[in-house]
Amino acid sequence: MTDRDPSVRVRFAPSPTGPMHIGGVRTALFNWLFARHHGGTFILRIEDTDQKRYSEDSIHLITEGLRWMGIDWDEGPEVGGEYGPYVQSERVDLYREWADWLVDHDLAYRCYCTPGRLAALREQQIAEKRDPGYDRHCRYLTPEERAANDAEGKPYVIRFKMPTEGATTVHDLIRGDITFENTQLQDLVLLKSDGFPTYHLANVVDDHFMKITHIMRAEEWISSAPVHKNLYAGFGWEMPQIAHLPVILNPSGKGKLSKRSAGFSEGGRKIPVLLYEFQDAGYLPEALVNFLTNVGWSFGEDREVFTVDETIERFDLDRVNPAASIFPVEKLDWLNGVYIREMDPAKLAQLLMPVFTKAGYEVNPEILVGAAPLLQPRIKTLNDALEMGRFFFVDPFEPPAVADLVQKGMDTPRTLDALEKALARLDALPDFAAATQEAAMRALIEELGLKVGQLFGALRAATTAQQSSPPLFESVEVLGRDESLRRIRLALDVLRNA
RNA sequence: GCCCCCAUCGUCUAGAGGCCCAGGACGUGGCCCUUUCAAGGCCAAGACAGGAGUUCGAAUCUCCUUGGGGGCACCA
């Protein structure tokens, strides 16, 4: 690989506020791919600086989710590393130290404004149709006023002194230069009154001390980029290279894909958004990885299906598309189907086992092994197997209604007659292989002067109680002679009682 | 409202001035195969948002318009 560069250090820095969002997973994946492509280091860092939104098990959700996707990290929680700790709540002293450093160097100041005043200010600004934002009241406090506030023990936050004139240009690796007028920039809060840092401070400090070389984050961070650039300048640190990944939009195209859009259905179907929803729906991690790399990035060469190794070989920022894209779920369904079809049937059987048992079926492993290859070309998600293959395991088996047994152009007596004869022939077969069955049944069709579908349809209904199923005789073979014949007898009873 | 980003088939995208009256994929329609449902094969419809420039030549460069998205917290 020509662009191998072991000094590359990138990070995925999620906030543990709940289950992982698929957009976050994509960000993690692109960072990981970038690191692996360059032979660099991929770091996982937990940004748990919001005490109010923190949720205990989220870290676990994140690490397990990444592992499931096949994304491993070289430094971070559970694996350690020489730039740790990798959980921000364990680094608060560091942030405080550097916030104070900025205050000492007159690059930041203590702000004693109460949340109440801020809210009122904001309301007033909006009412007067002015841009909302902090009015820098405390930036211009006299030393005496400051001392008085401190003497009173007033709670405070530390705010950064943003330059008030000029412009800040950020070079985005995907979009090129982006320039902001400094008057647009806010004196953002660096340290909250609870002593915890905000994202901006913690992020800059950590990226610096963790020697991050490239930042790849979602597009919604673009407007903080100039702010961060000024922070780096204040500290006198070199800013990592930066790239903003396009956001993923709702299927409706309205707004970014969010947890709320999980309720959005297309064709009456729920759209998964959180990683566990994809897992629960029966998507494969390999398919999801392949799918995600096709959103906002493309392999080129007119190829849509490729392995992770091929992606690593090829992945770089120059092929990242700056435009936001709608989440193409239908394509994921197709791709997942592709991966299922390419899978070793034994592996599929193994994956299908928990799907059926979770749904309450008692699974005969032998039948499952036989059923897997039959189900394989017919399902897009593992869960689809439930509908197509439930007849293999359903217990007790409910025979179909008369209407389902009697095929087009048939009536009850003729169906009864045909099925009775079919039963007798199947019972007498020397072996129960699909081909043997089929030959016998085709001969019977000939004798009775029926259409193929008239008997096959009745047999399908009798043995599966489903409208559609995998190929009839293969299915019946897997089901076994005893159970199949038993089901046909049940169907005969239904017809006799009609 | 202000700032910023973006703009190729319905959708995901290829395209870095002539290879493009725009290629691939999903989806859709048709045909073939076929015992149902799939899978598979073949075929079809389908896009450079609009307008000015620059250039011998523009999907590709510039500007404007329009449209979409993102951001404007003691959340990340």
Side-chain angles (χ1 to χ4, degrees):
Chain A
M1 211 172 296
T2 51
D3 26 311
R4 192 178 163 79
D5 179 2
S7 72
V8 162
R9 289 176 60 84
V10 297
R11 95 283 126 131
F12 174 54
S15 179
T17 54
M20 273 220 283
H21 184 278
I22 198 68
V25 174
R26 208 268 310 252
T27 301
L29 180 63
F30 277 29
N31 274 280
W32 180 80
L33 251 14
F34 185 82
R36 294 292 172 259
H37 173 78
H38 290 286
T41 306
F42 176 67
I43 297 152
L44 175 62
R45 183 173 74 218
I46 304 297
E47 308 216 328
D48 60 339
T49 56
D50 187 354
Q51 295 293 285
K52 291 191 264 319
R53 298 202 308 163
Y54 178 72
S55 107
E56 180 76 38
D57 50 343
S58 293
I59 295 182
H60 190 66
L61 251 30
I62 289 165
T63 55
E64 284 313 295
L66 291 176
R67 283 209 179 91
W68 184 77
M69 289 290 286
I71 298 174
D72 58 336
W73 52 102
D74 308 305
E75 294 175 26
E78 297 171 20
V79 304
E82 56 175 307
Y83 299 92
Y86 294 91
V87 176
Q88 290 186 329
S89 57
E90 294 169 22
R91 317 179 111 236
V92 284
D93 291 344
L94 183 66
Y95 310 127
R96 249 172 260 182
E97 186 187 316
W98 285 97
D100 287 340
W101 185 91
L102 286 172
V103 174
D104 292 345
H105 290 73
D106 200 31
L107 293 162
Y109 59 94
R110 290 178 182 179
C111 168
Y112 307 90
C113 293
T114 62
R117 175 175 126 75
L118 261 23
L121 176 67
R122 189 187 163 72
E123 232 169 86
Q124 190 188 346
Q125 286 166 331
I126 290 170
E128 291 172 11
K129 296 201 170 171
R130 283 156 52 210
D131 290 351
Y134 182 55
D135 60 2
R136 295 180 163 141
H137 174 263
C138 293
R139 179 165 176 166
Y140 304 109
L141 251 31
T142 62
E144 293 74 33
E145 288 169 319
R146 236 179 274 275
N149 281 325
D150 285 338
E152 271 181 59
K154 276 196 186 174
Y156 63 86
V157 301
I158 291 180
R159 284 183 189 271
F160 187 67
K161 280 191 175 176
M162 206 54 76
T164 52
E165 50 189 37
T168 301
T169 297
V170 176
H171 183 75
D172 183 290
L173 261 16
I174 296 171
R175 291 152 221 275
D177 286 346
I178 304 175
T179 301
F180 294 78
E181 293 298 322
N182 287 338
T183 50
Q184 295 295 328
L185 273 26
Q186 302 271 322
D187 280 2
L188 57 102
V189 173
L190 261 22
L191 204 69
K192 303 180 239 183
S193 55
D194 65 1
F196 273 72
T198 58
Y199 167 82
H200 306 288
L201 209 219
N203 196 264
V204 166
V205 168
D206 283 350
D207 282 349
H208 176 255
F209 286 107
M210 292 182 183
K211 296 193 160 54
I212 299 301
T213 58
H214 300 259
I215 297 171
M216 270 160 270
R217 40 145 71 150
E219 191 183 343
E220 48 259 48
W221 292 105
I222 289 182
S223 38
S224 341
V227 156
H228 295 171
K229 179 162 184 178
N230 281 297
L231 250 183
Y232 277 102
F235 282 127
W237 297 338
E238 191 188 343
M239 185 172 175
Q241 302 254 72
I242 195 161
H244 291 93
L245 272 18
V247 289
I248 299 179
L249 270 23
N250 251 328
S252 69
K254 292 281 170 204
K256 55 179 174 176
L257 189 69
S258 69
K259 292 171 194 180
R260 276 188 304 275
S261 47
F264 181 96
S265 59
E266 192 192 37
R269 201 166 69 88
K270 283 223 168 190
I271 305 293
V273 173
L274 304 174
L275 183 59
Y276 76 82
E277 293 174 325
F278 288 89
Q279 296 173 313
D280 289 352
Y283 290 103
L284 307 172
E286 304 80 22
L288 209 46
V289 166
N290 193 151
F291 167 75
L292 253 18
T293 56
N294 274 324
V295 180
W297 183 80
S298 80
F299 191 87
E301 291 183 358
D302 289 345
R303 282 185 62 193
E304 326 282 327
V305 185
F306 31 80
T307 65
V308 188
D309 286 341
E310 287 175 310
T311 311
I312 289 173
E313 173 73 33
R314 208 177 171 89
F315 189 87
D316 214 337
L317 259 20
D318 55 359
R319 295 191 74 84
V320 174
N321 184 166
S325 55
I326 288 175
F327 195 65
V329 234
E330 342 69 50
K331 212 158 177 173
L332 171 60
D333 285 338
W334 162 75
L335 198 55
N336 204 63
V338 169
Y339 274 83
I340 285 178
R341 270 171 255 135
E342 286 176 351
M343 184 181 294
D344 172 14
K347 173 84 192 296
L348 178 60
Q350 202 181 325
L351 292 174
L352 250 21
M353 179 61 94
V355 172
F356 278 105
T357 51
K358 239 186 252 172
Y361 293 95
E362 192 152 323
V363 177
N364 175 335
E366 217 168 299
I367 291 185
L368 183 56
V369 166
L374 301 181
L375 260 13
Q376 200 161 14
R378 277 162 259 268
I379 57 176
K380 291 192 154 96
T381 65
L382 297 176
N383 288 16
D384 287 346
L386 250 22
E387 193 180 331
M388 181 59 75
R390 68 174 185 282
F391 74 93
F392 283 117
F393 310 109
V394 67
D395 186 36
F397 177 79
E398 286 290 334
V402 177
D404 296 320
L405 254 4
V406 178
Q407 304 298 301
K408 211 175 242 173
M410 294 286 277
D411 54 27
T412 308
R414 289 179 67 205
T415 302
L416 180 60
D417 175 60
L419 276 185
E420 275 175 337
K421 292 192 165 101
L423 175 68
R425 302 272 174 104
L426 290 172
D427 199 12
L429 248 31
D431 69 88
F432 211 58
T436 314
Q437 293 179 50
E438 182 166 353
M441 292 302 101
R442 283 195 188 272
L444 179 60
I445 284 166
E446 194 81 9
E447 288 168 35
L448 298 178
L450 296 175
K451 286 181 181 163
V452 176
Q454 292 177 323
L455 180 64
F456 286 14
L459 277 172
R460 166 172 291 106
T463 53
T464 69
Q466 289 177 195
Q467 297 283 1
S468 65
S469 78
L472 179 59
F473 300 111
E474 280 93 328
S475 298
V476 170
E477 181 186 340
V478 169
L479 208 48
R481 189 181 321 224
D482 290 350
E483 177 63 11
S484 302
L485 299 189
R486 188 184 75 85
R487 290 184 182 187
I488 295 173
R489 288 191 190 98
L490 288 174
L492 290 172
D493 288 342
V494 170
L495 290 166
R496 288 189 189 108
N497 296 331

